[in-house]
């Protein structure tokens, strides 16, 4: 039984501990020692900042401690003293130090700067570095902010299934899930894979979205959300794509596209505010070392009313701009990141919702507008990134929904339960998806999705 | 844009709305109408209870509304009036009712009692029933309670990977994840499956536990937890097994088995307390209709100090008992549910931790005790269920860990990064796993895991 004080407490409630004996445990981040005294920067994981330990040669095991390699774990007892003339506000004068777990000199995370690429190869150690300790604490705090936002507003959190028996949404390539023996795939009499022999008795895949499932809960609880992993088996080796990522999908009943946009705006502001308040040291680090425009960008989001522009207007703006785009702009085409960024960075200079996209480039479940050409979709574009949220009002009219499914050659039988939601008291409803990793990249300025996921899964990579 | 008042608000802040005109939306749960007036019980999803709507034939569309089938969605405007003589505290005298989405008379969830088994076949509609609305709101609130508990104590939430490239833990049968064409599995020159052609370039599976991964974050942040889906491809068709379920796995550094038990006890009490306070109507329902011993059982947990008994002592107790068990008891055997329940229900009459199990029935990573025969494992047994939490202090000594791996014929190369955690400043640490669905069953008295998962995945079942 080891009762240790958290370093965060010492920083936050310093007065309570000054001139007292304290006992802490942590890992050595740096160590500078001479023959008679030394300084150790210790990090205990509870706080972004290190605490300085002063050793003197009265310490019984001074020699042993002063030779400990970086990342060794020690337990320190000593007096907390103020150091008004030094850089750090206080330090611990060690009276007793125990070695909890030594490290070795070949510890790969030495003090020098490492490339993010190298650090990915030691994903089990990188959270011990300044950058990744900041990234993953912010990730944790942002996840909590999202739950807090929705729970405080009475939303019900729904765990939609990860393994899905239906390829409903067609949102992307899927991973197959199976217990069949790959050396000996059972076949039926006609030589087709005999899926009845598989674990679930049918073909199953990893989900690409919980939306269709969560809509059924929306029709019971009114306001609901998912927050879980989703998957794409796409061969996209970019800085923004991972095969496994987490997504937040709220769904609201008795609500239209306008309500949806209001919710998304309120949520984005809440997350930013919460993270700024609850991880100030980490955010300061990002603003100083990763993206010097970060605070300006986030404050701009907090302080602006998000813009609104229809897709049709946006196309006009883009066509009339003097900008030369790699991809030409024409009504009916999907917007590329360059277009999105131009709109949000150059035209609106703040986050902007683009609404009412052509139906042919959007999913079957989006509500058809009266013009019969566009659907009540919305994408939220933010400076520095482009699209961060995609959503829509859903088609609640059974006949229109069925017609859209026929147009898109979907099998209505596969969607029997989804259609029934319209038959038994369907209401106007809307929702959106926020890619959690994209949000973390946006909040931190980190440029590669691999650097905001603990153990990233991408094409040809599933280490650890 | 439809701004509707939530029914929960009317119940919680009644005074503010009494004698005012309110506008609400919801689904008809029951409807009793005559030619000149009627009563509708409306549920808007924000609250467990329905609100009573009174219709009179002055209503312009009285005929239409009074004929609406159950589950139709309507928007009601009217005056909230107190009804001191009636069963319900107030009702809404409707002045205007709009049909948002009608239902049809064949709506399968009619007022009569349905079996849980039947309701599973309409998993998209069952959250509209009393029981499942209570189950899934409690599930949501309990999930939040868990995040709140850990976040308020400074724990960092880690999303460990779902797709794993290593079959490390050996905790159970796994689902394979692949993008290979099942009709044409590529083979190498020796006729073996050519996994280099698969998406990740190797064999990958769905995770059975995030523990090994999260240990690496524990060695950086000290206190961490996971909360995510885990999978077992086991052919267990029981009321307690699902192929996909959510698990909470905290991991704490500078901590031993005693700290681990303290944390588990504190967490269990926190969750129960939070759910009782934040879902009182739902919990009342469970205590009345599902499990009349529920409150006694939960209050007993809240008010007792959990017991502690070593496995060796537990075996003695069981052997000396007059109880006739189906499975005989002998030192070295795993405890069966009947043994666990006897210990917690008959002997201790409260939750009890059983500690220090024989090493041969536990995982390789559990810390070897000085007796060389047992490991520092702990299972938490609770009345009515048996085991609800399993955990251990982890083996932090490199040499002992390696020896254990050799004994269990594990390939050390597969665990290179896990072993490195011991090389570079490993500390005493401990952790446990709480199956989230088991916890919900315990909190609600629901007897089948299929009834606490929105869309359950079990052997031969992956519907919706």
């Amino acid at each position: 039984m080891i009762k240790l004080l958290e370093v965060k407490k010492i920083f936050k409630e310093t007065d309570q501990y000054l001139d007292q004996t304290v006992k802490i445990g942590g890992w050595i981040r740096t160590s500078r020692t001479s023959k008679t005294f030394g300084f150790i920067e210790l990090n205990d994981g509870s706080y972004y900042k290190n605490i300085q330990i002063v050793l003197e040669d009265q310490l019984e095991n001074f020699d042993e401690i002063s030779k400990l390699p970086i990342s060794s774990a020690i337990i320190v007892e000593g007096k907390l003293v103020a150091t008004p003339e030094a850089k750090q506000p206080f330090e611990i004068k060690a009276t007793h130090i125990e070695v909890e777990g030594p490290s070795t000199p070949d510890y790969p995370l030495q003090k020098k700067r490492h490339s993010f690429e190298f650090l990915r190869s030691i994903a089990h150690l990188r959270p011990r570095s300044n950058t990744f300790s900041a990234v993953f604490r912010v990730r944790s705090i942002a996840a909590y902010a999202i739950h807090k936002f929705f729970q405080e507003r009475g939303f019900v959190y729904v765990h939609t299934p990860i393994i899905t028996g239906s390829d409903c949404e067609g949102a992307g390539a899927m991973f197959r899930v199976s217990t069949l023996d790959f050396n000996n795939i059972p076949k039926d009499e006609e030589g087709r894979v005999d899926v009845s022999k598989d674990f679930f008795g049918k073909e199953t895949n990893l989900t690409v979205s919980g939306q269709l499932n969560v809509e059924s809960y929306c029709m019971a609880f009114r306001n609901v959300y998912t927050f879980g992993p989703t998957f794409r088996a796409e061969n996209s080796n970019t800085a923004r794509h991972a095969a496994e990522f987490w997504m937040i999908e709220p769904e609201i009943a008795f609500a239209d596209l306008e309500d949806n946009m209001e919710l998304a705006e309120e949520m984005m502001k809440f997350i930013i505010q919460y993270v700024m308040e609850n991880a100030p040291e980490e955010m300061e680090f990002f603003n100083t070392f990763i993206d010097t425009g970060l605070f300006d960008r986030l404050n701009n989001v907090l302080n602006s009313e998000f813009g609104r522009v229809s897709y049709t207007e946006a196309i006009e703006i883009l066509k009339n701009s003097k900008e030369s785009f790699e991809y030409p702009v024409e009504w009916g085409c999907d917007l590329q990141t360059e277009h999105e960024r131009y709109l949000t960075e150059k035209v609106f200079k703040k986050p902007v919702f683009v609404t009412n996209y052509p139906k042919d480039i959007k999913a079957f479940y989006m509500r058809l507008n009266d013009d019969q050409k566009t659907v009540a979709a919305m994408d939220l574009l933010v400076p520095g990134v482009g699209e961060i949220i995609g959503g829509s009002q859903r088609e609640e009219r059974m006949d229109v929904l069925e017609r859209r499914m026929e147009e898109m050659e979907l099998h209505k039988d596969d969607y029997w339960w989804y259609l029934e939601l319209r038959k038994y008291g369907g209401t106007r409803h809307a929702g959106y998806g926020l890619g959690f990793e994209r949000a973390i990249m946006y909040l931190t300025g980190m440029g590669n999705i691999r650097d905001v996921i603990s153990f990233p899964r991408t094409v040809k990579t599933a280490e650890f």
Side-chain angles (χ1 to χ4, degrees), chain A residues 179-284:
Chain A
T179 54
L180 294 179
D181 176 3
F182 278 33
N183 284 304
N184 191 11
I185 298 277
K187 301 277 166 82
D188 65 14
E189 285 165 12
E190 284 155 56
R192 290 171 310 201
V193 177
D194 185 0
V195 291
S196 75
K197 298 275 194 321
D198 212 340
F199 188 90
F200 295 107
K202 62 196 293 194
E203 185 181 332
T204 50
N205 296 284
L206 290 179
T207 186
V208 295
S209 159
Q211 181 203 315
L212 302 194
N213 289 107
V214 91
E215 278 189 51
S216 67
Y217 273 65
C218 179
M219 290 297 114
F221 288 112
R222 182 172 171 184
N223 292 335
V224 295
Y225 71 108
T226 70
F227 189 169
T230 49
F231 305 85
R232 296 280 188 288
E234 271 153 30
N235 201 343
S236 321
N237 213 347
T238 82
R240 287 164 53 84
H241 289 87
E244 174 181 323
F245 57 98
W246 285 62
M247 190 142 71
I248 297 99
E249 296 178 283
E251 192 75 28
I252 49 180
F254 295 101
D256 58 20
L257 196 66
E258 190 60 34
D259 297 301
N260 209 24
M261 288 190 280
E262 268 187 28
L263 182 70
E265 178 167 347
E266 208 189 334
M267 180 198 70
M268 287 305 294
K269 289 177 174 174
F270 184 93
I271 301 172
I272 292 170
Q273 186 85 48
Y274 189 85
V275 169
M276 303 265 262
E277 279 170 17
N278 288 276
E281 296 81 10
E282 286 82 357
M283 294 305 286
E284 194 67 54

Side-chain angles (χ1 to χ4, degrees), chain A residues 67-81:
Chain A
K67 288 195 190 95
L68 282 174
I70 296 206
S71 203
S72 298
I74 56 176
I75 293 175
V76 178
E77 233 180 289
K79 194 167 151 188
L80 186 75
V81 294

